[in-house]
Amino acid sequence: MTKTVFPKGFLWGGAIAANQAEGAYLEEGKGLSTVDVIPYGEKRLNVKLGLDTRFQVYDDEYYPSHQAIDFYHHYKEDIALLAEMGFTVFRTSIAWSRIFPKGDEKTPNKQGLKFYHDLFTECKKYNIEPLVTLCHFDVPMHLVREYGSWYNRKMVEFFCHYARTCIKEFNGLVKYWLTFNEINIVLHSPFSGAGLVFKEGENKEQVIYQAAHHELIASALVTKIAHEINPENQIGCMLAGGNFYPYSCKPEDVWAALEKDRENLFFIDVQARGAYPSYAKRMFREKNIEIITEPGDDEILKNTVDFVSFSYYASRCASAEMNKNNLSKANLVESLPNPYISTSEWGWNIDPLGLRITMNTLYDRYQKPLFLVENGLGARDLMNVQGVVDDDYRINYLRAHIKEIAESIEDGIPIIGYISWGCIDLVSASTGEMSKRYGFIYVDLDDKGNGSRKRTPKKSFHWYKQVIASNGSSL
Ligand code: BG6
């Protein structure tokens, strides 16, 4: 076995999100959330973009979140499998509407709290550290209908009450918290990202950045609250990561790439540095945006996160001549195709070195520990006649990315852990498909919800087990 560069105590694991795995969408008091009205199929995109606002559940549509992989009832079996792989961290999210079904109640739903209590206790039984996202693409629908979701400042109060309730309740069980999953995705998918909908003729960017301001204030307050509850708590922000490369060395292309990166890093600049970045003023002026603030906001924002977490699937590419005709969309972020790298079956760039580039950029900029909390390959897995999924393509993808983490550690970057996405197959956030699989564990379920939901370890399960056991030296 070769010597590992991964530090002792480096966390290895995988991630899921409540809305893509739990199912049980109205069970034990849970309220309807945004994701529960996002159907599978043609209408999906417009609902996610906040353009189709017929928010209810229709009998003739299929909604993947309603049953998903039924993690709600299978969690003991699933956690046991993750423990068998040797996980030391498991990332999931709490469904806000399980704790506060409408979102604006004073008293939490006890059954919701109990579910997560049992789940985190189950993790601890195997010495698995839970990493918990408070809001992963699901806002209680009542808050959308009554208040207009994050566009309304009242959301800060509701979210803080929800967060305080959870952080207090799970004190001693959970120490790593993320406030918002991929906070920058609000730019690209405003309804699924933050429950935003638009009125005819409205300046969408005004709505999005005002909502973002409220999220940033809420995130900073929750960071403060979490530290008050327990100074040991570690709070992170979460970026949908992946640097933009300039399409060429033409100065205009380099500038375009810098601006595209800033669009995403804007959020982390606030959460990690504690103030709006210097370029924000001009950006808002040029986009005709006026952010309404309250006295004291500047002080609140000074509550910066303890670590910077991010997802990394793909790098992106930008030029001064980007237009609708030459763009592709990977993980909702528009990019020019990069001729030097291959893509996944869903057109997402495969660029392991891009991970090292992203990590170095983030660390140079923030000087805070990093945590890679999502990475993986969405692929169409087929089970052979022996009932085995030989997913060598996934192993190759993950191996190449983990190698770049090792390089980044050698570059001097402190990194808390590596968390692969969808450690057990789950519903795809972008397409709603089950056939876009990421897991080490196969779940028998198709795009329309048919199947036994039986769990079967894939070849990558055994590979990852050995990676963890060797602390990354055996890849
Ligand atoms: C991230 C999200 O954007 O990418 C996850 O945080 C999502 O929720 C993951 O599932 C992969 O994207 P997709 O669309 O392939 O599920």
Side-chain angles (χ1 to χ4, degrees):
M1 206 181 277
T2 49
K3 207 172 159 286
T4 184
V5 300
F6 291 91
K8 197 165 170 272
F10 184 83
L11 296 173
W12 293 98
I16 63 167
N19 78 81
Q20 291 164 259
E22 285 176 6
Y25 86 112
L26 291 180
E27 250 175 76
E28 300 198 303
K30 180 179 171 296
L32 197 70
S33 85
T34 43
V35 73
D36 300 325
V37 300
I38 303 181
Y40 174 71
E42 274 169 30
K43 300 198 181 106
R44 186 173 182 85
L45 186 62
N46 273 352
V47 177
K48 286 175 59 138
L49 295 178
L51 303 173
D52 181 336
T53 54
R54 302 160 315 125
F55 296 133
Q56 63 183 80
V57 173
Y58 292 90
D59 290 344
D60 58 345
E61 300 277 3
Y62 172 61
Y63 298 87
S65 73
H66 292 190
Q67 277 91 37
I69 60 162
D70 198 24
F71 178 76
Y72 195 77
H73 297 109
H74 285 73
Y75 76 89
K76 285 196 178 167
E77 170 193 352
D78 293 342
I79 300 296
L81 283 167
L82 305 180
E84 195 184 323
M85 268 188 280
F87 274 35
T88 49
V89 62
F90 171 59
R91 175 178 175 227
T92 189
S93 64
I94 294 178
W96 186 347
S97 65
R98 240 183 241 298
I99 308 301
F100 290 101
K102 289 162 78 181
D104 58 359
E105 301 93 333
K106 290 272 170 288
T107 325
N109 169 28
K110 289 215 164 57
Q111 289 165 297
L113 290 177
K114 181 176 180 319
F115 169 70
Y116 292 106
H117 221 281
D118 292 348
L119 170 61
F120 302 144
T121 305
E122 195 67 15
C123 292
K124 287 290 196 181
K125 185 170 120 187
Y126 298 102
N127 289 324
I128 297 175
E129 192 70 58
L131 163 62
V132 180
T133 315
L134 285 160
C135 189
H136 190 129
F137 297 167
D138 56 353
V139 173
M141 262 318 282
H142 172 78
L143 298 182
V144 176
R145 294 199 181 103
E146 284 300 307
Y147 303 92
S149 194
W150 282 101
Y151 189 47
N152 190 328
R153 176 95 189 193
K154 272 187 180 308
M155 289 290 279
V156 173
E157 181 192 321
F158 301 143
F159 186 73
C160 287
H161 180 50
Y162 157 62
R164 183 182 280 108
T165 305
C166 293
I167 296 169
K168 264 193 178 165
E169 176 74 27
F170 306 123
N171 190 22
L173 281 174
V174 180
K175 106 171 187 214
Y176 289 105
W177 294 93
L178 304 180
T179 48
F180 295 97
N181 179 61
E182 295 189 332
I183 190 164
N184 51 316
I185 286 294
V186 67
L187 297 175
H188 313 284
S189 190
F191 181 70
S192 54
L196 298 179
V197 291
F198 304 103
K199 300 194 188 85
E200 193 80 21
E202 201 164 31
N203 176 356
K204 285 196 190 125
E205 288 188 305
Q206 168 70 40
V207 176
I208 289 174
Y209 280 99
Q210 183 64 58
H213 179 71
H214 297 150
E215 288 193 320
L216 292 166
I217 290 288
S219 180
L221 283 170
V222 169
T223 304
K224 183 167 181 277
I225 291 167
H227 289 151
E228 282 164 3
I229 292 174
N230 187 342
E232 300 278 299
N233 280 333
Q234 293 286 299
I235 316 303
C237 52
M238 202 304 202
L239 166 82
N243 276 33
F244 272 93
Y245 300 154
Y247 196 69
S248 77
C249 52
K250 197 165 118 189
E252 286 79 3
D253 287 355
V254 178
W255 179 252
L258 184 143
E259 282 208 302
K260 292 302 266 180
D261 274 339
R262 276 182 171 173
E263 258 176 37
N264 292 312
L265 293 174
F266 160 82
F267 298 84
I268 311 303
D269 284 351
V270 181
Q271 289 173 297
R273 302 198 297 213
Y276 272 64
S278 46
Y279 58 84
K281 225 178 186 174
R282 178 172 187 172
M283 179 178 90
F284 288 151
R285 192 175 66 234
E286 290 180 353
K287 290 179 190 288
N288 225 352
I289 291 169
E290 201 184 323
I291 303 290
I292 299 162
T293 58
E294 284 189 2
D297 280 2
D298 289 351
E299 273 310 302
I300 292 174
L301 292 178
K302 287 183 186 153
N303 294 287
T304 57
V305 289
D306 300 303
F307 62 91
V308 171
S309 88
F310 64 106
S311 61
Y312 178 82
Y313 294 92
S315 58
R316 298 125 186 188
C317 211
S319 84
E321 280 98 41
M322 280 171 96
N323 64 57
K324 291 273 166 255
N325 304 323
N326 57 11
L327 291 176
S328 66
K329 258 193 183 181
N331 204 9
L332 299 164
V333 183
E334 291 178 333
S335 162
L336 287 170
N338 182 336
Y340 299 99
I341 50 186
S342 63
T343 56
S344 76
E345 290 169 272
W346 273 264
W348 292 24
N349 289 340
I350 300 179
D351 179 15
L353 180 55
L355 172 57
R356 183 175 173 194
I357 295 169
T358 299
M359 287 179 65
N360 275 271
T361 307
L362 292 176
Y363 192 63
D364 284 354
R365 197 166 175 124
Y366 303 120
Q367 300 284 301
K368 295 213 183 226
L370 302 184
F371 204 160
L372 177 46
V373 299
E374 279 188 38
N375 170 239
L377 177 71
R380 225 175 278 281
D381 291 335
L382 291 176
M383 195 173 257
N384 66 22
V385 280
Q386 283 87 37
V388 178
V389 176
D390 271 326
D391 53 346
D392 289 296
Y393 39 88
R394 178 167 297 109
I395 295 173
N396 292 338
Y397 176 101
L398 295 173
R399 178 189 292 123
H401 285 78
I402 294 172
K403 277 186 178 163
E404 295 302 332
I405 299 175
E407 293 294 339
S408 307
I409 291 173
E410 301 256 59
D411 291 336
I413 299 177
I415 169 151
I416 303 171
Y418 173 77
I419 296 184
S420 74
W421 174 249
C423 44
I424 176 162
D425 291 346
L426 38 61
V427 173
S428 155
S430 56
T431 66
E433 293 164 298
M434 262 312 289
S435 46
K436 191 178 188 197
R437 296 170 183 273
Y438 286 86
F440 302 113
I441 300 163
Y442 185 87
V443 178
D444 176 33
L445 191 66
D446 71 12
D447 290 343
K448 289 293 182 74
N450 306 303
S452 62
R453 293 188 168 77
K454 181 170 179 280
R455 277 67 167 149
T456 311
K458 303 178 194 174
K459 187 173 180 183
S460 55
F461 180 100
H462 306 287
W463 170 80
Y464 197 45
K465 184 175 179 175
Q466 162 199 313
V467 172
I468 299 176
S470 66
N471 197 22
S473 71
S474 171
L475 287 172

